[in-house]
């Protein structure tokens, strides 16, 4: 067991949480992020996802602290190698030099400079021209704890500054699956996400004060897995009633799927 800390140093640090070893030296994970880490989440026993101000996402193995996939939310289908480019290495060296320089403003000056990077309070409410000069910032990430690590399961939600939520599979050969608009007002975005224990509902809170409840049962879910529990096991004579029962349930399942596609069930304003 351990405690993971991350933020402006762009690195994940693991502290021991074992009695008698809690004062030992922390473990520094490899440094691959090139911007401030804004949010992270953990899939118990499997992995960690971290995201940055500039829209960079990295999936890590929880046991070893090694990264295995890297994405950019602005081009989520592009494969990005887990090594720093010459430009990124130059940027990291520059940031280290700046961080080592003495400043007369002290801690308060640092807090003011960081506050200037806020993507919520300082954001204009009109449409922004995202691109090289305006990165898409990640506001929140969420692991669905009951979703298995397969290619066809959407197990990670990534909330963007644009108001969209991207869905990823955290499998080593997985990746970006789809995205959906999670807000209904221009300039709004989802700041926080959580779900129930069975991952039936997604709860989102936005910068403009809206709380929404989304029905996500069987959404971004592998069709083969849904049918496996119905048709596997038993003799041929035992399987036939199960198949017949499954066929009878098709209209009901189609209604559930249509309900899931409509996504949002309720929303509130606080």
């Amino acid at each position: 067991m351990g405690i993971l800390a991350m933020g402006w140093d762009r690195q994940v640090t693991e502290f021991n949480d074992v009695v008698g070893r809690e004062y030992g030296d922390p473990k520094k994970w490899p440094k691959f992020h090139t911007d401030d880490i804004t949010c992270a989440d953990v899939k118990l026993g499997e992995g960690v996802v971290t995201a940055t101000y500039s829209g960079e996402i990295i999936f890590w193995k929880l046991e070893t602290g090694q990264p295995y996939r890297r994405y950019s939310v602005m081009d989520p289908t592009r494969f990005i190698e887990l090594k720093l480019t010459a430009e990124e290495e130059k940027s990291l060296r520059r940031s280290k030099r700046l961080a080592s320089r003495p400043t007369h403003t002290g801690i308060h000056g640092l807090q003011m400079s960081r506050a200037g990077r806020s993507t919520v309070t300082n954001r204009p409410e009109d449409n922004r021209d995202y691109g090289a000069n305006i990165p898409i910032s990640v506001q929140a990430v969420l692991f669905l704890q009951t979703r298995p690590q397969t290619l066809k399961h959407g197990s990670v939600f990534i909330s963007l500054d644009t108001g969209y939520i991207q869905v990823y599979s955290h499998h080593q050969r997985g990746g970006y699956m789809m995205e959906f608009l999670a807000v209904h007002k221009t300039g709004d975005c989802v700041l926080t996400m959580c779900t129930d224990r069975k991952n039936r509902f997604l709860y989102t809170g936005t910068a403009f004060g809206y709380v929404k409840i989304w029905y996500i049962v069987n959404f971004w879910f592998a069709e083969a897995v849904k049918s496996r529990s119905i048709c596997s096991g038993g003799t041929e004579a035992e399987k036939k009633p199960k198949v017949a029962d499954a066929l009878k349930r098709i209209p009901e399942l189609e209604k559930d799927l249509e309900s899931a596609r409509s996504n949002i069930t309720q929303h509130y304003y606080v």
Side-chain angles (χ1 to χ4, degrees), residues 86-98:
E87 184 179 348
E88 289 170 338
E89 289 180 349
K90 184 178 179 181
S91 176
L92 279 177
R93 288 195 296 269
R94 188 186 305 116
S95 65
K96 287 179 181 179
R97 287 197 301 269
L98 291 175

Side-chain angles (χ1 to χ4, degrees), residues 32-181:
F32 281 94
H33 279 303
T34 58
D35 207 338
D36 300 350
I37 299 175
T38 57
C39 49
D41 199 11
V42 176
K43 175 71 180 292
L44 299 177
E46 289 187 11
V48 178
V49 58
T50 55
T52 69
Y53 174 84
S54 58
E56 185 180 59
I57 303 167
I58 293 182
F59 287 96
W60 311 75
K61 293 182 178 180
L62 182 59
E63 290 186 359
T64 62
Q66 294 297 317
Y68 63 90
R69 289 306 296 265
R70 184 184 187 187
Y71 303 96
S72 170
V73 299
M74 288 189 285
D75 189 6
T77 59
R78 180 169 64 94
F79 175 77
I80 304 176
E81 286 189 77
L82 274 165
K83 65 177 183 180
L84 297 179
T85 64
E87 184 179 348
E88 289 170 338
E89 289 180 349
K90 184 178 179 181
S91 176
L92 279 177
R93 288 195 296 269
R94 188 186 305 116
S95 65
K96 287 179 181 179
R97 287 197 301 269
L98 291 175
S100 63
R101 291 178 183 175
T103 174
H104 299 291
T105 57
I107 296 176
H108 296 289
L110 177 62
Q111 290 175 341
M112 290 293 289
S113 65
R114 295 295 181 180
R117 296 195 67 174
S118 171
T119 58
V120 177
T121 56
N122 299 333
R123 182 179 66 248
E125 293 189 11
D126 57 347
N127 290 327
R128 284 154 288 170
D129 184 18
Y130 288 100
N133 297 325
I134 306 179
I136 299 179
S137 175
V138 177
Q139 298 293 328
V141 297
L142 177 68
F143 257 117
L144 298 183
Q145 298 293 329
T146 64
R147 296 281 176 95
Q149 189 179 23
T150 71
L151 289 170
K152 295 184 179 180
H153 283 81
S155 54
V156 180
F157 289 172
I158 307 289
S159 168
L160 308 182
D161 192 32
T162 57
Y164 281 86
I165 292 178
Q166 292 183 346
V167 183
Y168 290 77
S169 161
H170 72 291
H171 190 273
Q172 291 191 6
R173 291 183 289 111
Y176 172 81
M177 299 183 72
M178 65 162 296
E179 66 181 25
F180 62 95
L181 185 62

